[in-house]
Amino acid sequence: MKIATYNVNGINGRLPVLLRWLKKAKPDIVCLQELKAPQDRFPLAAIEKAGYGAIWHGQKSWNGVAILARGKEPEETRRGLPGDADDLHSRYIEAAMNGILVGCLYLPNGNPWPGPKFDYKLAWFRRLQAHGKRLLKLKQPVVLAGDYNVMPTELDVYKAENWKNDALFRPEIRKAYATLVKQGWTDALRELHPDERIYTFWDYFRNAWPRNAGLRIDHLLLNAPLVKRLKQAGVDSEVRGWEKTSDHAPVWIEVTEKVAKRSTVKKKTMKKRAA
DNA sequence: ATGCCTATTATTAATAGA
C-alpha cells in the first residue's frame, strides 16, 4: 500500500499534473495541501474519474487540504486542528481508510521572522503536538503527512547558512518539530535514508530546480504500528520537472498490507521447530 | 539577496508562498 503527500500549489491550475501523477504512481492514499480553491471549486468529478474518493476542506485563495483514497471513500474523523476556535485556516483534515488513520496537514509558513505569522506557526505547532499526543494513544496505525514547512536538520537544506533566520529553519521551529517527533513518531524518509540528501521542494526562482537547490519540508510521520510495516520511502522528484508543475514534489511511503497475525507467525515458527 | 517565479483575486496591482 502506497501513501503519499503532495503540496499541489493550486488543485485547479495543477489538475493535469495531479492526474498524470496519480495515473503513473497509483498511490492508495494521498494527502494534498494548498488546494487554493474554495470548498465548491474542488474538481471532484475529475478526481473520481481517476478512480479516487475524496474529502477536502477548501478555502478561498489560500491553504486547503484534501485526502484521496483509491477505490474508496475516506471516512472523515476530523476537520480542523483542535485548540483554537478562532483559527479559520483550512490546514488540517483527518480520515480513516484501509485500517489506517491519516492526518493531512499544511503547517503555516511562518515568515517573516520575527512577527505575528511566526508566532502563529509556533502556536499551530503546539496544537499539533497536543493532538499528536492524543493520536499516539490509539492502537491502530497512524500517519501524520503533509507540508510541515520545516527542514528538520542541515541535511535537509541545500545551503543551511542562507536559511538560518528563515521561519522554515529557525531553531524554535526545528525544536518544535523535534519535540513532536520525540513523542513517538518516526520520520519515514529519514528512517530508511538516514544520510541521504533528499529534497521535496524547489523554489520557482533562482533556477532552483535545475541546480537542485532544494529543501526537505514535506514529511510523513508514522506511529510504531505503522513503522513496523514500512518497506520503502521516496520522492517522485521527476514531477517537479513537468510543465506547469507545483514547486513541491510528491513524497510517498510503501507499507505492507497488513502485519502478519501473531497466531500465523506462531504456527510457522512451530512448524519450523517441528521440522 | 525582502528580488527572482507563480498563483489567486480583482483589474493592473496586491498578497502570499518558502
Side-chain angles (χ1 to χ4, degrees):
Chain A
M1 188 193 312
K2 192 191 255 186
I3 307 172
T5 179
Y6 184 25
N7 180 324
V8 281
N9 189 13
I11 192 162
N12 287 302
R14 314 292 186 198
L15 191 57
V17 170
L18 175 63
L19 296 175
R20 182 179 167 189
W21 170 69
L22 287 176
K23 198 172 178 184
K24 191 178 178 192
K26 294 186 175 63
D28 297 284
I29 299 171
V30 184
C31 295
L32 296 175
Q33 302 86 34
E34 278 207 89
L35 305 180
K36 290 187 174 179
Q39 188 67 13
D40 60 2
R41 295 260 345 261
F42 185 85
L44 183 61
I47 298 288
E48 284 181 338
K49 200 180 165 202
Y52 288 82
I55 59 164
W56 67 96
H57 194 195
Q59 186 180 330
K60 189 174 147 185
S61 303
W62 301 302
N63 310 319
V65 283
I67 299 175
L68 317 184
R70 193 148 67 97
K72 56 189 73 176
E73 294 299 322
E75 187 187 313
E76 186 169 322
T77 55
R78 181 172 289 281
R79 176 172 295 229
L81 193 62
D84 183 359
D86 295 330
D87 183 3
L88 299 176
H89 291 198
S90 297
R91 295 183 177 275
Y92 188 82
I93 195 163
E94 189 183 284
M97 72 223 78
N98 303 356
I100 298 175
L101 190 69
V102 179
C104 169
L105 64 105
Y106 175 44
L107 217 131
N109 174 298
N111 276 308
W113 172 86
K117 289 187 175 179
F118 189 80
D119 298 340
Y120 171 61
K121 182 177 193 174
L122 271 180
W124 210 94
F125 237 127
R126 280 188 218 109
R127 287 162 61 199
L128 184 60
Q129 289 162 358
H131 187 56
K133 254 187 190 172
R134 287 192 290 271
L135 292 179
L136 284 171
K137 288 177 184 160
L138 302 172
K139 297 271 190 281
Q140 75 182 116
V142 184
V143 54
L144 279 176
D147 179 355
Y148 282 75
N149 268 318
V150 49
M151 296 85 90
T153 72
E154 298 207 344
L155 190 59
D156 303 309
V157 48
Y158 67 97
K159 202 172 179 186
E161 58 267 36
N162 285 5
W163 293 84
K164 285 253 155 73
N165 285 327
D166 191 280
L168 280 69
F169 203 52
R170 283 284 308 171
E172 304 93 313
I173 297 299
R174 280 192 273 165
K175 197 181 166 193
Y177 181 82
T179 300
L180 173 70
V181 171
K182 267 184 216 154
Q183 291 177 347
W185 300 97
T186 297
D187 179 337
L189 263 82
R190 274 290 165 250
E191 178 71 10
L192 296 185
H193 307 283
D195 306 314
E196 210 176 306
R197 282 206 169 268
I198 302 169
Y199 302 136
T200 67
F201 167 90
W202 295 261
D203 221 314
Y204 285 125
F205 27 94
R206 298 176 191 147
N207 214 24
W209 167 246
R211 62 193 181 90
N212 195 28
L215 310 172
R216 190 176 75 96
I217 55 178
D218 301 273
H219 310 299
L220 294 117
L221 298 189
L222 318 184
N223 72 346
L226 198 52
V227 174
K228 277 183 203 161
R229 293 166 55 178
L230 181 62
K231 287 293 161 197
Q232 287 185 72
V235 180
D236 288 339
S237 49
E238 74 278 4
V239 175
R240 181 61 182 81
W242 293 356
E243 285 286 310
K244 295 285 284 177
T245 198
S246 169
D247 40 8
H248 295 250
V251 187
W252 54 267
I253 59 169
E254 179 82 40
V255 299
T256 55
E257 287 299 321
K258 267 184 185 174
V259 187
K261 283 183 185 166
R262 194 170 290 170
S263 57
T264 313
V265 174
K266 244 186 189 172
K267 270 180 199 166
K268 275 184 184 168
T269 311
M270 285 163 80
K271 262 188 186 172
K272 263 188 192 169
R273 279 181 187 156

